[in-house]
Amino acid sequence: MAAPSSLASSHLSRLADLRRAGGAAAAALAHPQQLRLGCSRRRAQRVVAMAGSGKFFVGGNWKCNGTKDSVSKLVTELNAATLEPDVDVVVAPPFIYIDQVKNSLTDRIEVSAQNVWIGKGGAYTGEISAEQLVDIGCQWVILGHSERRHVIGEDDQFIGKKAAYALSQNVKVIACIGELLEEREAGKTFDVCFKQMKAFADSITNWADVVIAYEPVWAIGTGKVATPEQAQEVHAAVRDWLKTNVSPEVASGIRIIYGGSVNAANCAELAKKEDIDGFLVGGASLKGPDFATIINSVTSKKVAA
């Protein structure tokens, strides 16, 4: 096995490659026809849009950011924010700040972890179990995020089993899917997303506590965002896949949210799309006023309806 320093260098190098690949999407986004979708146009036209029946959902993924002081400031901003009432809001601090956030954040906002172990706790150095999350009052966990898949190396089946175990312990799951830039350009967007969905479906039996987050990898942390039309097309396709492969009830009820450089400036247009049921937000969730604006973009959904 490589020394820890070389492993860290390898992971950081891979993350840098992903960020650079996202930058390469800029020119293609200027000419959307160059970013091929995963199926033919005829296939896309027959996708049936059935927007999720639950509340609009906005999650904030703080990733590996923050200090005790900055977390305290952010919580103060969130506590002071005026938020639309018909939105489910969740924030995901780093593990070591979950208890601080849980004890100081308004009950209006729920708390999520960014990862969890695949089973019961024990001799698993560095891991956190679902039972431990429950013990500190953490209601949610993010699983399948691209940084876990492509930097840490978690595969589809491992992630699916993590989700099943978390749900068995009454921890709700934000299940992430999404394609790399080269996969989108090769027309494999749907294939990749459906494969990732299948791994979740193979392990999950109760979808009531699952939110799906579509996050194209080329848009995460790059400043590049899928157009509302691109995001809507993938969301509708994923909902159609659920209808066929899980059940019409799950397809019509589940919330499918978008993530990938969502910010206060672009959230309103994205929110207008029928199958975009909310957002999973990265960098912008570290700014209380911006995150509040994204939460309140539900008003655009109401206008569009």
Side-chain angles (χ1 to χ4, degrees):
M1 178 179 289
S5 59
S6 63
L7 281 173
S9 297
S10 175
H11 286 162
L12 290 172
S13 176
R14 176 59 177 151
L15 183 56
D17 289 344
L18 290 171
R19 297 291 191 246
R20 284 193 293 271
L29 283 171
H31 303 283
Q33 70 274 15
Q34 293 179 11
L35 280 180
R36 296 174 55 207
L37 285 162
C39 295
S40 68
R41 180 58 51 186
R42 189 167 68 86
R43 169 68 175 87
Q45 286 177 337
R46 75 173 185 82
V47 168
V48 179
M50 298 181 295
S53 59
K55 282 185 178 181
F56 200 71
F57 184 102
V58 177
N61 181 8
W62 297 359
K63 304 191 179 183
C64 189
N65 292 297
T67 63
K68 287 172 66 176
D69 287 344
S70 68
V71 166
S72 179
K73 178 178 181 293
L74 180 52
V75 167
T76 298
E77 291 174 347
L78 294 176
N79 287 343
T82 300
L83 306 178
E84 288 289 318
D86 50 349
V87 184
D88 286 335
V89 185
V90 174
V91 295
F95 279 128
I96 61 172
Y97 301 123
I98 286 177
D99 206 38
Q100 176 187 348
V101 172
K102 184 68 181 169
N103 290 330
S104 57
L105 184 64
T106 172
D107 291 341
R108 169 73 182 82
I109 301 175
E110 295 188 328
V111 178
S112 172
Q114 299 175 21
N115 183 39
V116 73
W117 179 235
I118 195 170
K120 189 175 177 63
Y124 305 107
T125 301
E127 291 294 339
I128 305 291
S129 72
E131 291 87 349
Q132 290 170 322
L133 295 182
V134 171
D135 186 48
I136 62 170
C138 187
Q139 303 102 320
W140 291 85
V141 65
I142 298 170
L143 293 174
H145 193 280
S146 68
E147 289 149 7
R148 301 296 307 181
R149 293 178 184 273
H150 300 295
V151 180
I152 307 302
E154 294 183 359
D155 64 31
D156 296 344
Q157 288 68 37
F158 186 70
I159 294 164
K161 290 176 181 176
K162 276 188 172 186
Y165 190 78
L167 291 166
S168 77
Q169 300 304 308
N170 298 314
V171 178
K172 303 171 193 176
V173 171
I174 300 170
C176 301
I177 61 172
E179 81 284 3
L180 297 166
L181 178 62
E182 56 264 33
E183 292 167 337
R184 172 167 277 267
E185 290 181 329
K188 296 179 179 178
T189 295
F190 291 174
D191 293 339
V192 171
C193 290
F194 294 168
K195 179 174 176 286
Q196 293 168 348
M197 284 299 305
K198 184 178 185 304
F200 283 119
D202 286 346
S203 296
I204 294 173
T205 56
N206 179 8
W207 292 82
D209 291 331
V210 178
V211 170
I212 297 168
Y214 167 59
E215 296 196 300
V217 181
W218 46 270
I220 297 173
T222 64
K224 311 306 172 188
V225 61
T227 66
E229 293 73 24
Q230 288 169 331
Q232 164 63 24
E233 186 160 23
V234 177
H235 283 224
V238 169
R239 201 178 299 281
D240 192 46
W241 186 92
L242 283 164
K243 180 182 178 183
T244 302
N245 295 279
V246 179
S247 77
E249 292 75 23
V250 167
S252 62
I254 202 162
R255 291 172 290 185
I256 306 175
I257 63 177
Y258 172 78
S261 297
V262 177
N263 58 44
N266 60 32
C267 58
E269 288 304 308
L270 286 160
K272 291 177 183 178
K273 292 300 181 181
E274 180 180 5
D275 284 277
I276 297 179
D277 300 319
F279 303 108
L280 184 57
V281 187
S285 70
L286 299 172
K287 305 170 185 175
D290 284 7
F291 191 53
T293 297
I294 295 169
I295 294 166
N296 292 336
S297 68
V298 69
T299 56
S300 298
K301 175 74 75 180
K302 293 173 184 175
V303 170

